[in-house]
Amino acid sequence: MSRVRWRRDVVPAESITRARAGLTRDVRGRQRRYLMAMVVRTVCVVLMAATWNRWPVLAACALAGAVVIPYVAVVLAQAHWRQQRGPRHAVAHAVREEPAVRVVLEPTLILPPESDAAA
């Protein structure tokens, strides 16, 4: 099985339908990005705890990272979702037609046939 080497100078192929990625694929990608952000946050918390007494400036930077990372992770996930939606197509407005002339129908009463079975 041969593997094609990916190059940066190659223009990616255009999609025919410009359809978004499926929901499961989108959710899986967002979960991965969020998980990686939380791993970095965990490292920041551990780094903060390990350096609190010895290097307080580094500990404060790690604490700031641990506080800011969840917000950034959520914002980036939502921004990526908006980019995936693709361009909006022009909305075709329905042409409003003039209503047809209404004909009023007279009510009709339909009676069952009379039977001479009076016995």
Side-chain angles (χ1 to χ4, degrees), residues 95-103:
V95 178
R96 189 169 183 105
E97 297 177 7
E98 293 297 322
V101 178
R102 290 185 165 196
V103 178

Side-chain angles (χ1 to χ4, degrees), residues 9 13 17 25 28 36 39 44 49 60-61 72-73 82 94 109 114:
D9 58 342
T17 61
R25 188 174 177 188
R28 188 179 317 126
M36 293 309 295
V39 167
C44 286
C61 290
V72 171
R82 286 194 181 108
L109 181 63
E114 292 184 17

Side-chain angles (χ1 to χ4, degrees), residues 11-31:
V11 178
E14 287 290 324
S15 173
I16 295 173
T17 61
R18 294 204 174 266
R20 278 181 32 188
L23 181 61
T24 55
R25 188 174 177 188
D26 183 44
V27 169
R28 188 179 317 126
R30 280 195 268 162
Q31 285 175 342

